[in-house]
Amino acid sequence: MDIILLNDPAADGSERPRVFSHAGVAALEKLIAWMGEDRTPFDLYAYLPADEDERRAALVALGTRLRDFPGAAYLIVPTPELTPELFASLEQHEVVNVILLATGEPLVREAEALRNVRAHLDRTPDSALAFGAWVEDRDGSDNFKRARLYLRAGISPEVITAPPIARTRRESAAVIPPELLEGVATCSLFASALTIDAYGEVRLCPRDDGGSVVLGNLFTSTPEELVTVKGTQTRGIGGYSACGTCDQRARFTWPERKSLRIEQLLASGAHRGGLADDPFARLSVIAHRDLTSAGEDAVASDLAAFEERLKAWSESMKELDPQPGQ
Amino acid sequence: MRVSIETPVFKGGWLIPCIESVLRQTSADWELSLVWDGGDALSKSILERVETLGHPRVRVWYTENQGIANARRFLTERSRGEWILPLDDDDILTPDAVEKFLAAAARKPWSGIIRARRTFIDEGGSHVAMKEWFPFEPRHFLHGMITDPYNHCQPYLIRRSAYDKTLGWEGFDDFHYAGEDCDIFLKIEEVAPVELLDEVLYRYRINPLRASNELGPAAAHEMWRRLVDRSIARIGLPLRRRNDIQPFAYDRHEPHANATKASIDFVIPFFESDEEELPYAFRRPSAFMRPAHIRLTPRDDVRQRLERGDVDRIDVAVLATPQVRGELAAELLDDDGAVVSSATAAVEPAMNVTKFVKLPFTRTGERDVPLTLRLTFRPAPGNRTELRLYAIDSNLMMRLFRRRPGHSRAQLERCLASLRRHGIEDDAIHVVEKRQSSAANRNEGFRRTTKPFVCFLDDDVELTSDAADILLRELLESPADLATPKILDVHGRIYCADPFFDMLLKPVPKGLGQPDDGAYDYVSDVPWLPTTMLLIRREVFHATGGFDEEYVGSQMEDVDFVLRARQRGFRCRYVGTAAIVHFNQQRNDCFDENFARFVEKWSALPALFETVKPRMGHETARHH
């Protein structure tokens, strides 16, 4: 499960602890260490903080402290904010992976910022910086022009044109897939990424930043709790207000990486959240009678049913746990 | 897999839901080990089906009947997890038991056992509203021994590394080898603490076939009596149980009434370094001194007058923050302002902790004259442009060192010579010279000892009085279990007297820097003691498991050890009628990290930090 760290574009000046603070980075380290224990790869995406102190803390964290895990850390930078000063900081702190975020600014401004990228890459051929880009998926011709701008700037040729976590919201007439509403399937962004806002609160997804649903807090919840509580909301995905205005519905798939531990915690949470019976969480389907005083037929029947359940369990574990005993 | 769930199997009646409660855990971090202990055919039949599955997470063995304790031992010897979770064959785990136990283990890595709560179910699996018949609270101790051994039950998670330090699962053969669970609590508690987790993680099935039903109350009481008596003997406590029903009370006797200092083994951890620390201002702040911050920016400098400039290294205390990176530059200036020597050192980011930046100087000739230290800070590009230093009473917090090959060994020889001068034989002195933490060296040193009393001594201490005799007499007469004398610095001023905890839980001494005019020449009960010179009864070490080797370097592990002893009801005495001299060669600066661990471990037990109240019939302070 990937981790997405949001920023707070309009700092509220409150005293709430921030993710990019002493305590916040320590909590992130614990979360990342826990997620990395089963060696399932995952990535970390962090929006560039607006506040100067937090920005420096984020660069230090991404460049040094938050590197020891089976995946990559990406810093998401709105393209116009990529100034020469920021380049210098990125190089200094050895933040390698940068995703440029097209913000809907006029193409002229984006072109100018992208020229800085080109100039920096030309000036420092040994730079380890690697740029990707998320160009918002829009209807209209600007989209194509925008993508071409990024390609010409020397950004990775695999410019993603449908970023699921662009920060703007738009009204859209797209229909929510029925399987989302029935809770049988879930939004892949919700299921495959843990979204944490600037204050450590876990959100449904980046579009729900500032919304009313809080799924836990990085500072006060254990990693297990963060994932399990997230699972409890599985049934509601598709019905939240953030879902109603999401213009990415059913038009993208966030990469999914299987982790047995994460899957089981989500399933447990989903069961608690009232989803259809999860046979791995409910015990009432299992007979609790004293078999030593049951008749022969009852014993035989229970043993046969037990054997079937054992096989079903073993089969279900093969996909989730391909290397058992590790 | 970090958790080994272990189930000795004897009855098959409710074995299926027992096994399935494990398969349905929310956490995948477990293995299940089952041994058929010569029980009924039904249980064997169920296990055969499990075995046929051939899943690597679930393993099955078959043995002749050997009793519950031996069956548990069999499983623990073959399981692999870092933690052990015993599960009875007719009970079930809640679906999140492994998940919650592991979360608690991550929060309290020092635990030997983590005990959670249980609820009750009937033969059909329905909840039974029944009050728990065993207490769920911290265990109680008197004179080092537990008074309420029945204060335990399932579920509990055992740390394997703690288990491996004990004799393992044992039961009483005349009780079908039962009593093993109460016994393992007693044994583990001698090496690591029992922590409580206030969550229900287990469902205990009330049914007529439970083995515990066969024992009956009389047998249970007999078992508990035997277990505490066995523990008293194992630890070597000078106690006799006074009553038959819990809470147990104990009479204490003194088996060493005629002991002399010949009954003491001395353990000295030695860490060689070729440098001498020079006197400078305050060696460390006392409880009531709060350092001021001094901001050092590129536009200015900070100066500190040094009474003598023959230093080879100066360690400057700075506040390391995530934003600050750069170079701290230092110059030693003579009275004309000329630079005599210079040094630079990198300042690295850290998470808001006090760090000592080491500035190495090149000595040019003898500089045993006053000099001025000038500090400037050159931040790295893009960093915050100020560095915070600490000062107390207008003196920078620093430590000054001079290279002196063989200095620390000379300190050790002085310590040893003072011991010999006071009649301590060489075979009673155990110097542990290994490049490891003081805790590890002391634990290793203890293992070399045999006498009924052990004195831990720092290598930079000199006995100037018959402190060992006086401390021993105090242990015998009070009676007490741990004792420390008054500690003086090389100038004869107080370094540590009558220690206590301040409001922030920091261990602090009284009298720091004051003249030794007799104001602290008394004896009192105290909440902690330093290991500069610490005399203990041997059984204190056996009852507590020794020093926690997770502490880095040489700070806070002594306070932790003494709190463990006090938690078990041992008595700590400050003996101001004896004194030693401490030359204070501190060799690490990991106080912040060690203190953070200490607070995490102990802050939930505030009673241990209070000033010790006087006992009935004893004075709090006895002046001589």
Side-chain angles (χ1 to χ4, degrees):
Chain A
M1 175 170 283
D2 294 335
I3 300 174
I4 302 171
L5 302 175
L6 306 179
N7 64 1
D8 183 1
D12 64 5
S14 71
E15 296 300 315
R16 286 192 290 165
R18 316 281 278 222
V19 165
F20 286 116
S21 65
H22 169 199
V25 175
L28 273 177
E29 278 186 315
K30 278 189 188 168
L31 172 63
I32 286 170
W34 177 82
M35 292 187 74
E37 278 170 357
D38 65 359
R39 297 185 293 279
T40 303
F42 65 94
D43 292 328
L44 172 70
Y45 297 86
Y47 279 86
L48 182 73
D51 175 77
E52 203 180 305
D53 283 348
E54 281 184 72
R55 181 176 291 199
R56 287 198 185 94
L59 293 177
V60 170
L62 288 174
T64 53
R65 289 186 68 172
L66 302 178
R67 288 175 81 163
D68 187 21
F69 64 95
Y74 298 88
L75 183 68
I76 303 171
V77 180
T79 306
E81 292 192 34
L82 199 49
T83 61
E85 289 75 24
L86 185 58
F87 272 120
S89 291
L90 292 172
E91 296 280 11
Q92 177 194 355
H93 292 286
E94 299 176 5
V95 175
V96 174
N97 298 308
V98 177
I99 294 177
L100 298 176
L101 187 64
T103 57
E105 298 269 338
L107 283 179
V108 165
R109 284 200 61 188
E110 286 199 49
E112 184 183 336
L114 288 170
R115 276 197 284 276
N116 287 333
V117 174
R118 184 73 264 161
H120 179 82
L121 291 176
D122 289 341
R123 208 167 37 241
T124 51
D126 294 333
S127 171
L129 283 174
F131 290 95
W134 281 340
V135 177
E136 189 169 35
D137 188 9
R138 293 172 180 230
D139 296 326
S141 63
D142 272 0
N143 191 34
F144 175 70
K145 288 182 193 172
R146 184 170 277 106
R148 206 168 55 180
L149 265 180
Y150 280 82
L151 287 168
R152 281 183 181 164
I155 311 299
S156 159
E158 294 173 13
V159 172
I160 301 171
T161 57
I165 57 174
R167 300 299 294 280
T168 58
R169 299 184 188 196
R170 288 190 304 125
E171 297 296 325
S172 170
V175 174
I176 300 174
E179 54 268 26
L180 274 184
L181 290 173
E182 289 163 17
V184 177
T186 189
C187 165
S188 66
L189 176 57
F190 170 81
S192 302
L194 188 68
T195 304
I196 303 174
D197 72 14
Y199 303 97
E201 290 183 331
V202 177
R203 298 288 167 184
L204 295 171
C205 73
R207 291 190 178 277
D208 194 47
D209 191 17
S212 60
V213 181
V214 176
L215 305 181
N217 192 297
L218 179 70
F219 293 98
T220 55
S221 308
T222 65
E224 289 89 348
E225 287 164 357
L226 291 177
V227 178
T228 306
V229 173
K230 186 177 167 65
T232 62
Q233 302 305 312
T234 306
R235 191 179 188 184
I237 292 299
Y240 294 107
S241 59
C243 305
T245 56
C246 174
D247 57 1
Q248 302 297 333
R249 285 169 291 186
R251 289 192 281 192
F252 69 89
T253 302
W254 187 268
E256 189 185 350
R257 296 195 182 95
K258 290 282 191 186
S259 161
L260 171 65
R261 177 169 55 176
I262 301 283
E263 290 296 317
Q264 290 199 331
L265 287 174
L266 283 175
S268 166
H271 167 67
R272 292 181 206 175
L275 201 61
D277 281 0
D278 172 5
F280 295 120
R282 299 264 298 258
L283 294 180
S284 61
V285 296
I286 306 159
H288 271 255
R289 57 180 161 201
D290 175 15
L291 285 186
T292 52
S293 53
E296 265 186 42
D297 289 345
V299 170
S301 165
D302 279 10
L303 286 177
F306 173 58
E307 209 167 336
E308 288 307 307
R309 291 197 299 273
L310 280 177
K311 287 176 188 164
W313 172 80
S314 184
E315 277 303 310
S316 72
M317 292 296 281
K318 277 182 187 165
E319 188 189 344
L320 290 176
D321 184 18
Q323 289 182 312
Q326 297 305 309
Chain B
M1 291 167 291
R2 283 185 292 161
V3 176
S4 291
I5 303 172
E6 300 177 1
T7 301
V9 175
F10 194 76
K11 307 175 302 296
W14 290 277
L15 182 57
I16 290 177
C18 168
I19 292 172
E20 295 205 84
S21 76
V22 176
L23 303 186
R24 280 146 182 70
Q25 285 296 304
T26 55
S27 169
D29 224 338
W30 55 266
E31 62 168 4
L32 174 61
S33 300
L34 304 130
V35 62
W36 185 73
D37 191 33
D40 60 21
L42 173 63
S43 59
K44 193 172 188 192
S45 179
I46 294 170
L47 291 185
E48 283 166 353
R49 280 162 174 77
V50 173
E51 189 183 27
T52 303
L53 194 65
H55 197 280
R57 284 186 181 278
V58 187
R59 297 189 292 165
V60 180
W61 290 271
Y62 304 89
T63 66
E64 299 290 326
N65 178 248
Q66 49 186 335
I68 180 84
N70 294 324
R72 290 206 190 281
R73 177 186 284 274
F74 179 96
L75 288 172
T76 300
E77 285 171 356
R78 285 157 181 79
S79 63
R80 301 163 292 191
E82 184 188 342
W83 298 86
I84 299 160
L85 175 50
L87 172 64
D88 288 353
D89 63 9
D90 46 4
D91 297 334
I92 59 176
L93 295 174
T94 62
D96 55 1
V98 172
E99 170 198 335
K100 291 269 170 77
F101 264 131
L102 285 178
R107 287 193 296 271
K108 301 184 180 185
W110 55 81
S111 312
I113 289 180
I114 297 174
R115 180 190 164 200
R117 286 190 186 272
R118 63 184 182 179
T119 56
F120 300 95
I121 56 177
D122 63 15
E123 296 170 48
S126 299
H127 177 70
V128 175
M130 198 164 85
K131 198 164 173 286
E132 174 61 71
W133 56 75
F134 295 125
F136 184 84
E137 59 190 34
R139 285 150 70 89
H140 300 89
F141 297 88
L142 178 64
H143 303 315
M145 190 57 210
I146 191 167
T147 60
D148 55 349
Y150 74 141
N151 182 355
H152 86 281
C153 68
Q154 312 101 323
Y156 50 94
L157 190 75
I158 301 172
R159 179 158 52 88
R160 185 180 295 275
S161 58
Y163 175 88
D164 288 343
K165 292 181 184 174
T166 72
L167 296 172
W169 298 103
E170 286 178 310
F172 295 100
D173 51 6
D174 52 340
F175 291 133
H176 307 292
Y177 295 97
E180 85 292 354
D181 45 359
C182 183
D183 178 66
I184 207 68
F185 264 73
L186 290 167
K187 285 172 172 155
I188 298 273
E189 208 161 29
E190 291 161 22
V191 301
V194 173
E195 297 281 352
L196 297 176
L197 172 61
D198 195 1
E199 305 226 29
V200 173
L201 301 181
Y202 196 93
R203 311 257 191 247
Y204 182 95
R205 195 181 306 274
I206 307 291
N207 73 83
L209 302 177
R210 287 206 83 101
S212 51
N213 295 341
E214 299 171 18
L215 282 178
H221 284 298
E222 169 62 15
M223 210 156 56
W224 286 320
R225 286 192 290 271
R226 287 195 206 175
L227 285 171
V228 298
D229 292 345
R230 193 159 75 180
S231 292
I232 288 171
R234 181 174 56 241
I235 297 171
L237 291 165
L239 303 177
R240 269 184 222 99
R241 181 175 43 81
R242 194 193 302 160
N243 55 347
D244 290 340
I245 305 291
Q246 298 176 63
F248 291 127
Y250 305 103
D251 291 319
R252 183 179 179 151
H253 62 281
E254 182 55 74
H256 308 293
N258 300 319
T260 65
K261 61 189 171 211
S263 308
I264 305 175
D265 269 319
F266 288 80
V267 172
I268 305 174
F270 176 57
F271 194 98
E272 183 158 24
S273 69
D274 282 336
E275 58 185 18
E276 170 193 11
E277 184 167 2
L278 300 175
Y280 162 74
F282 299 104
R283 282 296 178 81
R284 55 190 166 107
S286 71
F288 306 109
M289 295 178 187
R290 293 278 174 246
H293 286 185
I294 294 179
R295 294 167 191 260
L296 184 58
T297 75
R299 293 180 295 280
D300 47 37
D301 59 22
V302 167
R303 300 188 184 216
Q304 173 69 52
R305 186 74 174 159
L306 302 179
E307 290 311 310
R308 52 188 302 176
D310 54 339
V311 294
D312 293 301
R313 194 180 92 226
I314 297 179
D315 291 357
V316 178
V318 308
L319 174 62
T321 68
Q323 297 87 351
V324 178
R325 185 200 295 264
E327 188 179 72
L328 183 63
E331 292 171 325
L332 289 171
L333 311 174
D334 62 19
D335 286 343
D336 295 324
V339 176
V340 174
S341 183
S342 61
T344 59
V347 175
E348 298 292 341
M351 278 301 163
N352 297 341
V353 291
T354 302
K355 288 281 188 192
F356 280 87
V357 177
K358 300 179 191 303
L359 291 159
F361 289 89
T362 305
R363 244 205 276 185
T364 53
E366 290 305 314
R367 296 199 303 269
D368 189 10
V369 293
L371 294 175
T372 298
L373 172 71
R374 179 169 72 188
L375 295 173
T376 53
F377 177 57
R378 296 194 280 264
N383 267 261
R384 290 194 71 164
T385 56
E386 67 176 42
L387 177 67
R388 289 196 203 172
L389 312 178
Y390 295 99
I392 296 180
D393 287 352
S394 72
N395 282 308
L396 284 177
M397 265 182 70
M398 307 191 300
R399 298 174 61 197
L400 278 56
F401 297 91
R402 181 174 60 190
R403 195 162 41 248
R404 271 182 70 177
H407 172 69
S408 51
R409 190 161 293 278
Q411 301 254 39
L412 173 66
E413 290 304 325
R414 177 176 55 205
C415 173
L416 297 177
S418 71
L419 285 173
R420 292 177 190 123
R421 267 201 311 276
H422 287 90
I424 307 300
E425 301 289 338
D426 281 352
D427 64 0
I429 302 173
H430 308 274
V431 178
V432 185
E433 186 175 349
K434 279 192 176 176
R435 308 296 278 192
Q436 57 186 3
S437 68
S438 296
N441 274 342
R442 289 199 193 97
N443 289 341
E444 181 167 333
F446 182 87
R447 287 190 285 274
R448 300 180 190 176
T449 64
T450 55
K451 297 181 196 283
F453 298 90
V454 177
C455 184
F456 296 100
L457 201 62
D458 281 356
D459 58 16
D460 53 359
V461 157
E462 183 176 14
L463 264 63
T464 53
S465 65
D466 217 352
D469 265 319
I470 298 172
L471 293 185
L472 179 61
R473 202 156 56 238
E474 184 62 31
L475 287 195
L476 297 175
E477 290 176 2
S478 289
D481 307 288
L482 303 91
T484 280
K486 179 177 57 182
I487 303 172
L488 306 176
D489 67 18
V490 67
H491 302 292
R493 289 190 291 263
I494 302 284
Y495 185 79
C496 178
D498 197 2
F500 66 103
F501 289 103
D502 71 8
M503 285 187 311
L504 301 176
L505 306 188
K506 283 204 173 143
V508 285
K510 286 184 185 157
L512 179 66
Q514 295 177 19
D516 182 26
D517 57 7
Y520 295 98
D521 290 0
Y522 55 80
V523 182
S524 64
D525 286 318
V526 288
W528 72 274
L529 294 168
T531 42
T532 315
M533 179 176 188
L534 177 66
L535 179 66
I536 68 169
R537 293 177 183 266
R538 178 174 206 80
E539 54 268 24
V540 173
F541 194 98
H542 287 309
T544 57
F547 294 86
D548 183 347
E549 296 183 15
E550 294 301 316
Y551 287 100
V552 180
S554 63
Q555 288 171 308
M556 294 308 296
E557 84 289 352
D558 47 358
V559 185
D560 180 278
F561 172 71
V562 174
L563 283 196
R564 282 274 289 143
R566 284 194 48 234
Q567 192 180 31
R568 283 198 72 114
F570 289 117
R571 191 177 179 199
C572 301
R573 296 287 271 175
Y574 160 72
V575 184
T577 50
I580 57 171
V581 175
H582 184 212
F583 291 83
N584 191 24
Q585 296 296 303
Q586 265 187 297
R587 286 181 203 117
N588 78 342
D589 59 355
C590 296
F591 179 80
D592 271 13
E593 289 97 310
N594 282 353
F595 183 65
R597 177 185 166 82
F598 173 80
V599 169
E600 214 170 313
K601 196 171 171 184
W602 291 105
S603 56
L605 299 170
L608 290 176
F609 292 89
E610 294 168 4
T611 302
V612 181
K613 306 265 189 315
R615 294 188 181 186
M616 296 295 290
H618 287 79
E619 295 173 19
T620 301
R622 197 166 69 235
H623 291 252
H624 292 261

